[in-house]
Amino acid sequence: MWKEFKSFAMKGNVLDLAVAVVIGAAFGKIVTSLVSDIIMPLIGLISGDTNLKELHLGSGEAAVKYGLFLQSVLDFFIISFSIFMVVKLTSRFRRKETVKVEVVEPPAPAPEVALLIEIRDLLRADKQRESEN
């Protein structure tokens, strides 16, 4: 069982996934800081010092804190847009790195060879007709 686990854990896909999770967590922290430390204060300045997290209906324990929900939705859109831009940027670099491979068609066969190929195909067709009858 240990050998099976070791071979599973050392496969390239599992290691790639582990690296992606760590990088994703770090990227999430960066985007969270971008939202909470830069974008939301700017929105607060524009909207007159409104803090979305403090918006609520009701009072005390029965308060519906819709501001937290709005903040989460805004965070989601900013994070998804940031990820979109990173993916778009990396795909642009990958396109530049790809090497264009030109498909070279083989030269046409000599006339004698083309004639022999045609005769072979005709003979095969005749054999098939004979076997069908």
Side-chain angles (χ1 to χ4, degrees):
M1 184 182 294
W2 175 252
K3 287 181 183 179
E4 290 178 30
F5 175 74
K6 185 177 176 183
S7 67
F8 169 77
M10 293 302 158
K11 284 184 181 178
N13 294 342
V14 174
L15 293 176
D16 291 344
L17 180 61
V19 169
V21 167
V22 171
I23 290 175
F27 184 73
K29 288 181 180 181
I30 291 171
V31 174
T32 301
S33 175
L34 172 71
V35 171
S36 62
D37 300 332
I38 297 175
I39 294 175
M40 290 313 295
L42 290 175
I43 290 175
L45 285 174
I46 293 170
S47 65
D49 238 7
T50 302
N51 187 353
L52 287 180
K53 291 181 182 179
E54 294 176 5
L55 298 176
H56 64 280
L57 292 173
S59 62
E61 293 293 321
V64 176
K65 299 176 183 179
Y66 68 92
L68 289 173
F69 175 74
L70 292 176
Q71 181 68 46
S72 296
V73 170
L74 185 64
D75 289 352
F76 169 77
F77 282 119
I78 293 171
I79 290 169
S80 60
F81 180 74
S82 301
I83 291 172
F84 169 75
M85 293 306 290
V86 168
V87 168
K88 187 173 180 174
L89 183 67
T90 57
S91 67
R92 180 177 292 159
F93 285 127
R94 284 187 182 163
R95 266 188 265 138
K96 288 181 181 180
E97 291 176 1
T98 57
V99 178
K100 292 183 180 180
V101 178
E102 293 182 24
V103 178
V104 179
E105 294 186 30
E112 299 86 13
V113 175
L115 184 59
L116 288 172
I117 291 172
E118 185 179 344
I119 293 170
R120 180 199 64 197
D121 294 341
L122 289 172
L123 288 173
R124 282 185 185 166
D126 281 344
K127 278 188 176 181
Q128 283 181 346
R129 276 188 241 129
E130 287 178 8
S131 66
E132 290 175 359
N133 293 330

